[in-house]
Amino acid sequence: MSSSTTDTGKRIVVLGAGYAGLAAAKGAGRHRTVTLVAPEERLLHRIRQHETAAGRGREWPAIGELARGRRIRHRRARAVALDPAGHEIVLDDGTTLGYDTLVYALGSRTAWHDVPGAAEHAHPVERAAEVRRLLRENDRFGTLAVVGGGATGIELATELAEAHPGRQVRIVAAGQVGGSYSPKGRAHIRRVLDRLGVTVHENATVTEVTPDGLRTTAGPIDADLTVWAASMEPHPLAAEAGLAVDDRGRALVDDHLRSVSHPDVHVVGDAAAVTVPGVGTLRMGCATALPQGQYVGKLLDGRTAAPFSFRYAVQCLSLGRRDGLLQLVHPDDSMKPTVLTGTAGRLAKAGIVTAVLGALK
Ligand SMILES: Cc1cc2nc3c(=O)[nH]c(=O)nc-3n(C[C@H](O)[C@H](O)[C@H](O)COP(=O)(O)OP(=O)(O)OC[C@H]3O[C@@H](n4cnc5c(N)ncnc54)[C@H](O)[C@@H]3O)c2cc1C
């Protein structure tokens, strides 16, 4: 058995090295030893995955590099089972890891929504490197479909269209593409999609994915390659382990981000259903995961005892490398009419992405 022993004899384990887990480990690891469990060597940096898919991403920093200066032991493994009563985690290398305090930050993954053929024939956006490889190796892939009309689908479709001008990119949405943005924001997204030659299929719920494309409620859509960016679902381990979860499988937490059923487990990021008074239940996003991880890091380091607080300010999108959208929002994430577009929007988005990486260094 491996374990991490703190100065006080308490073992702190963080599961997951995404924005939430890494931020929590860095905060807690200032004065205490933390075992950070995640399979990857390098930061996944999910908010740049559309760039990777389009062939533009670069290698992100190693977890070890980001953990430098902290008392963090990175254990490259996957958790396969969690026993919150026994305070133990089973890893995929067959070992068991004990803990006194657990930070659960296993994030989310593509939700296939039980659409027939989706898991077999579509490529989830988080396998961006695979999409890049397939596009490099297959000149005959002339038509690409991106399923999902939300932020991830829009970023992916614009990035692919800009990087592959010889290929026909289609964006397919069950409702309106960019439907959650303000009218000005939506209009700008539509202008950029049109400029980049992306075909927009709205009110087209996908009912089946085939090797040749999609069947939808608005008719068939041809595609040589389908990338799935429809929605995300939380990692299932919390529910499997018996932590109290909401109807989406996100762990229910109190105002200190502790599981309501198992208070020695903090849950942060996409895995947690965090409700903030006056704001509501936070959406999955790097924008919410990073501050949650930072907060729990401070809590475990004794730098705060206050409840978690959060207010939204902006939503931002990259629209290829030359355009972007910064949408101002109210503290509860509802839209304000004001947007920044074009170069200003692009620079604002790039600044935020740089700040995210900076916060993890
Ligand atoms: C293309 C794209 C663009 C996006 N753009 C934005 C954006 O602009 N703004 C925004 O707010 N959000 C954006 N998001 C969403 C954002 O990336 C996620 O909400 C965010 O990554 C959640 O962070 P997290 O730390 O909770 O989990 P994740 O980033 O999902 O990290 C989960 C961690 O858990 C690890 N893990 C998984 N399973 C196991 C296991 N069994 N054992 C151990 N470790 C495990 C993973 O390897 C990883 O280290 C985007 C997502 C995508 C895909």
Side-chain angles (χ1 to χ4, degrees), residues 16-20 39-40 46-47 78-79 106-107 235 269-270 285-287 349:
Y19 306 108
E40 65 270 21
R46 285 178 71 193
I47 62 171
R78 234 170 237 287
L106 293 186
H235 195 288
D270 284 2
C286 166
K349 166 77 186 193

Side-chain angles (χ1 to χ4, degrees), residues 306-323:
F308 175 70
S309 65
F310 181 83
R311 297 282 180 271
Y312 291 100
V314 295
Q315 287 192 26
C316 56
L317 280 178
S318 63
L319 300 167
R321 292 300 86 211
R322 291 191 286 274
D323 211 316

Side-chain angles (χ1 to χ4, degrees), residues 14-23 36-40 42-51 63 74-75 77-81 89-92 104-110 125-126 128 151-153 155-156 229 232 235-237 268-272 283-290 292 314-318 349 352-353 356:
V14 176
L15 285 185
Y19 306 108
L22 199 50
L36 175 63
V37 180
E40 65 270 21
R42 296 183 171 275
L43 180 71
L44 291 177
H45 212 3
R46 285 178 71 193
I47 62 171
R48 305 290 299 266
Q49 279 179 330
H50 51 292
E51 294 177 47
I63 307 281
H74 179 198
R75 185 89 185 260
R78 234 170 237 287
V80 293
I89 302 148
V90 180
L91 302 181
D92 61 355
Y104 179 104
L106 293 186
S108 61
R109 58 194 191 180
T110 293
V125 63
E126 63 260 34
T152 308
E155 289 195 321
L156 188 61
M232 308 304 288
H235 195 288
L237 195 62
V268 287
D270 284 2
R283 63 177 157 80
M284 289 184 184
C286 166
T288 53
L290 183 64
Q292 289 173 38
V314 295
Q315 287 192 26
C316 56
L317 280 178
S318 63
K349 166 77 186 193
I352 288 171
V353 171
V356 167

Side-chain angles (χ1 to χ4, degrees), residues 151-335:
T152 308
I154 294 166
E155 289 195 321
L156 188 61
T158 48
E159 200 80 40
L160 288 172
E162 193 181 85
H164 298 279
R167 288 169 153 145
Q168 172 62 58
V169 177
R170 296 168 173 175
I171 184 165
V172 183
Q176 220 180 359
V177 170
S180 65
Y181 293 88
S182 68
K184 274 190 197 160
R186 252 189 336 263
H188 184 67
I189 291 166
R190 191 55 190 249
R191 263 196 305 277
V192 176
L193 290 168
D194 289 347
R195 175 166 54 73
L196 292 171
V198 178
T199 313
V200 176
H201 299 266
E202 294 184 322
N203 303 312
T205 302
V206 176
T207 54
E208 188 179 353
V209 183
T210 67
D212 306 326
L214 308 167
R215 297 215 168 90
T216 80
T217 51
I221 296 170
D222 293 343
D224 299 315
L225 183 80
T226 297
V227 189
W228 196 266
S231 65
M232 308 304 288
E233 62 186 14
H235 195 288
L237 195 62
E240 287 165 9
L243 265 62
V245 295
D246 69 3
D247 54 2
R248 295 178 67 192
R250 296 210 283 172
L252 295 165
V253 292
D254 66 13
D255 60 4
H256 285 71
L257 309 190
R258 293 174 297 219
S259 158
V260 296
S261 57
H262 297 83
D264 42 15
V265 180
H266 290 272
V267 189
V268 287
D270 284 2
V274 178
T275 302
V276 176
V279 176
T281 301
L282 305 187
R283 63 177 157 80
M284 289 184 184
C286 166
T288 53
L290 183 64
Q292 289 173 38
Q294 289 172 325
Y295 166 79
V296 166
K298 278 189 190 161
L299 199 65
L300 296 180
D301 191 44
R303 279 177 288 134
T304 186
F308 175 70
S309 65
F310 181 83
R311 297 282 180 271
Y312 291 100
V314 295
Q315 287 192 26
C316 56
L317 280 178
S318 63
L319 300 167
R321 292 300 86 211
R322 291 191 286 274
D323 211 316
L325 173 71
L326 184 91
Q327 168 77 62
L328 297 193
V329 299
H330 294 286
D332 66 357
D333 210 27
S334 57
M335 299 294 131

